[in-house]
Amino acid sequence: MTTATRVYVARLAGLAVFDPNGDQVGRVRDAVARVRDGGLPPRVVGLVAEMPLRRRIFLPIGRITSVDAESVVLSTGTLNLRRFEKRPGELLILEDLLDRRVTITGTGASATVVDVAMETTGRLGDWVLTRVAVREYTGRLSRRGHLHQLEWAEVAGLVGEAESQGTASLLAVLDNMRPADMANVLQDLSDERRVEVATALDDERLADVLEELPEHDQVEIIGALSPERAADVLEEMDPDDAADLLAELPKPDQEALLDLMEPDESAPVRALLDYVPGTAGSIMNSEPVVLTPDATVAEALARVREPQLSPALAAMVYVARAPMATPTGRYLGVVHFQRLLREPPAAMLGGIVDNGVDPLATGTRLNEITRRMATYNLVAMPVVADDRLVGAVTVDDVLDQLLPRDWRDRDQQAGRD
């Protein structure tokens, strides 16, 4: 396997990291460089890789044997699993330099950093930052500036306190990440940078990422938005996640945001906020897949294929009389996803409905929910009130309640290492 002699760091983000046996150990999230005196380009000292369970560790550059467009390969399978922390005098290339406002020394023109290249020198395993890709700043919304590839010394403002830093290039690097991984990256940014990057996301993407952040980060970011935009983002969230976020806000702020939401979007959120915490009603998702008994297997399979559904929520189709929106008409039972795969596409759900799964009441407590899901090996259960389906509790809802309240918080995880 060959190793490139010059690599642009933004292209490394997300690459798989393999040990010598070919087993994947993580993914690249950034590169670390150490600032040198005398205007010399910083020396790259290693990469930051994300391991399972969202742990970021440091990979010394000397233990990397191969870097190409598809992967990074290590010389050893023995890794230091201590959580990475940036030291004084170090730069995180993507976090600290991307979108940074700089000056092209030859012309005095302002520009923003788009990417940074690291390059091998004559000594084995020695990499330095050599070139910087910058886009000249025009100040005009309708016109993009010229892209320049310059030597490190030809750009001023790369080291030290940033004059300003945008978000476009960093967002491009993060664009293909899953919401949970992107939330993980955001937690490693400074408070100011986290809010700056998060608020630059579109409403749907921001809603997905907020659902994966700890409550204090959610509150910080939603508070940085205008009330109108905050309401739009809440509308994009699952009702149970929106209710959890709003529950962290003062009552006047809750009401103000609920009033700004569309009535059909705010109604299920208001209903969830009214349930007693720790009950099925308070943790359920009020928008499961609901179909009438005369719907076909083909229709049901089309619904559970919708990409916005979590695997747990797509594991069952709930059968009820009209209306389909919760609270529905009379609840009839469920059809498991596996049963749908075994039946002809034209078969009607009413003929294969399973009414042997006793639904939960809205007031069922968490310990009883957990016991029943474990007893019957279920990943989701219906929640019924007055013989009408009002929602479904999924295994991820239950885990959210059982795990420590701060389980998403990277700072707290670091304290437990």
Side-chain angles (χ1 to χ4, degrees):
M1 186 180 294
T2 59
T3 297
T5 58
R6 178 186 294 167
V7 179
Y8 278 90
V9 178
R11 298 175 189 177
L12 290 177
L15 288 186
V17 179
F18 294 96
D19 66 15
N21 297 320
D23 296 323
Q24 184 174 336
V25 297
R27 289 191 177 275
V28 176
R29 289 299 178 231
D30 214 326
V32 187
R34 184 166 294 139
V35 177
R36 296 190 288 173
D37 295 330
L40 294 173
R43 178 176 286 118
V44 178
V45 294
L47 301 179
V48 178
E50 186 164 318
M51 313 295 284
L53 302 179
R54 303 184 181 183
R55 177 188 293 271
R56 295 208 315 170
I57 68 168
F58 177 71
L59 304 176
I61 199 71
R63 296 190 179 183
I64 296 172
T65 60
S66 174
V67 179
D68 61 28
E70 296 182 354
S71 64
V72 171
V73 180
L74 303 176
S75 61
T76 176
T78 304
L79 303 174
N80 184 345
L81 297 180
R82 181 179 300 171
R83 190 176 299 279
F84 168 76
E85 292 184 8
K86 187 172 70 170
R87 297 174 179 175
E90 290 181 343
L91 289 171
L92 282 170
I93 309 306
L94 301 183
E95 180 179 328
D96 295 333
L97 296 185
L98 243 58
D99 300 301
R100 189 183 183 107
R101 181 69 63 83
V102 294
T103 303
I104 301 173
T105 55
T107 64
S110 293
T112 56
V113 177
V114 175
D115 207 344
V116 180
M118 64 184 207
E119 193 167 341
T120 54
T121 62
R123 288 175 291 175
L124 183 64
D126 198 11
W127 292 76
V128 295
L129 302 181
T130 55
R131 296 181 70 80
V132 185
V134 300
R135 188 175 297 282
E136 196 170 333
Y137 178 69
T138 65
R140 300 179 183 179
L141 293 176
S142 60
R143 180 181 172 187
R144 299 186 74 191
H146 295 298
L147 188 65
H148 303 277
Q149 292 194 42
L150 304 170
E151 296 297 325
W152 181 270
E154 295 177 317
V155 181
L158 289 166
V159 177
E161 193 69 27
E163 176 187 339
S164 65
Q165 195 170 2
T167 59
S169 298
L170 182 56
L171 288 178
V173 172
L174 304 179
D175 186 54
N176 293 324
M177 285 187 182
R178 293 181 177 182
D181 293 333
M182 191 169 187
N184 199 26
V185 171
L186 288 181
Q187 288 190 66
D188 290 312
L189 302 179
S190 66
D191 292 348
E192 182 179 351
R193 186 71 169 143
R194 182 187 309 116
V195 170
E196 189 176 50
V197 173
T199 54
L201 299 171
D202 64 55
D203 291 351
E204 184 176 358
R205 181 73 160 156
L206 178 53
D208 291 340
V209 172
L210 280 176
E211 292 175 359
E212 304 297 336
L213 284 169
E215 287 83 356
H216 62 86
D217 287 336
Q218 292 180 344
V219 171
E220 179 186 35
I221 291 167
I222 210 77
L225 305 176
S226 68
E228 291 77 13
R229 189 178 177 211
D232 291 340
V233 172
L234 288 166
E235 289 176 356
E236 296 290 342
M237 297 175 71
D238 287 338
D240 54 331
D241 291 309
D244 289 343
L245 195 165
L246 285 169
E248 299 296 318
L249 301 178
K251 194 70 174 178
D253 294 344
Q254 281 185 32
E255 289 301 324
L257 290 173
L258 286 166
D259 288 343
L260 286 170
M261 294 171 66
E262 293 294 329
D264 58 335
E265 297 285 354
S266 65
V269 179
R270 288 181 187 276
L272 290 169
L273 287 168
D274 287 338
Y275 290 112
V276 176
T279 64
S282 70
I283 67 173
M284 69 183 180
N285 187 307
S286 58
E287 296 181 347
V289 178
V290 184
L291 290 171
T292 55
D294 58 351
T296 64
V297 166
E299 290 176 89
L301 287 171
R303 286 290 307 278
V304 300
R305 279 199 299 265
E306 292 176 359
Q308 70 271 23
L309 289 176
S310 68
L313 204 58
M316 284 184 180
V317 172
Y318 302 86
V319 183
R321 301 291 183 190
M324 294 296 94
T326 55
T328 65
R330 187 165 68 88
Y331 169 72
L332 301 177
V334 300
V335 179
H336 300 271
F337 172 65
Q338 284 184 318
R339 181 67 185 269
L340 292 173
L341 297 176
R342 295 196 294 263
E343 297 295 333
M348 290 189 179
L349 300 184
I352 57 173
V353 68
D354 178 1
N355 52 22
V357 177
D358 291 333
L360 301 169
T362 56
T364 304
R365 306 297 301 192
L366 183 63
N367 59 345
E368 175 63 13
I369 299 170
T370 307
R371 187 187 68 79
R372 289 171 61 179
M373 292 182 78
T375 299
Y376 298 108
N377 298 317
L378 296 173
V379 296
M381 290 195 72
V383 182
V384 170
D386 298 326
D387 212 25
R388 297 168 179 265
L389 183 74
V390 292
V393 171
T394 60
V395 65
D396 50 315
D397 297 323
V398 173
L399 287 173
D400 258 346
Q401 299 295 312
L402 294 177
L403 288 167
R405 182 177 172 82
D406 58 3
W407 73 271
R408 285 193 172 96
D409 196 323
R410 290 286 294 276
D411 292 338
Q412 296 302 320
Q413 290 176 31
R416 299 187 185 107
D417 289 345

